[in-house]
């Protein structure tokens, strides 16, 4: 959503995700804020990046890049607001 709709520096998309997946997860924004994210786009600037095993190699440049379509998440409950194994925390 951030790629197509952009970031308006609010929790618009994170809130929508929480409403759809886990309406009782009241602490999600607080948890993300403690880790440095101030809005939707901050999640991917200061909190998470796509895990290395999900990246694809550009055959022209030999660089690893994000895939055109995000892979489906696995290994977490459908109602979880925690990142799945496709994501790793930025240190």
């Amino acid at each position: 959503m951030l790629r197509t709709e952009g970031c308006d520096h609010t929790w618009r998309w994170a809130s929508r995700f929480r409403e759809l997946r886990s309406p009782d997860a009241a602490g999600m924004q607080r948890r993300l804020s403690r880790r440095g994210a101030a809005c939707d786009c901050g999640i991917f600037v200061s909190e998470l990046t796509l895990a290395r095993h999900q990246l694809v190699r550009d055959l022209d440049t030999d660089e690893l890049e994000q895939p055109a379509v995000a892979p489906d998440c696995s290994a977490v409950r459908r109602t979880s607001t925690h990142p799945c194994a496709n994501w790793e925390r930025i240190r």
Side-chain angles (χ1 to χ4, degrees):
M1 291 308 298
L2 289 173
R3 267 191 209 153
T4 60
E5 302 296 323
C7 181
D8 64 359
H9 304 288
T10 68
W11 291 106
R12 177 175 52 159
W13 301 118
S15 296
R16 182 71 177 140
F17 174 82
R18 185 184 60 80
E19 289 168 9
L20 293 172
R21 290 289 179 99
S22 191
D24 296 331
M28 183 183 79
Q29 284 175 235
R30 188 174 51 250
R31 183 178 72 241
L32 292 168
S33 293
R34 275 196 317 260
R35 293 184 177 142
C39 63
D40 290 328
C41 46
I43 296 169
F44 300 101
V45 171
S46 63
E47 172 68 13
L48 297 172
T49 189
L50 197 58
R52 185 175 173 83
H53 69 273
Q54 295 294 343
L55 300 175
V56 294
R57 186 166 305 280
D58 182 301
L59 297 176
D60 295 325
T61 65
D62 203 35
E63 297 289 323
L64 291 175
E65 301 176 338
Q66 290 192 4
V69 177
D72 290 334
C73 274
S74 61
V76 293
R77 294 183 327 271
R78 179 163 170 71
T79 58
S80 178
T81 60
H82 293 274
C84 68
N86 294 355
W87 301 96
E88 54 191 26
R89 297 202 192 288
I90 296 172
R91 303 274 180 227

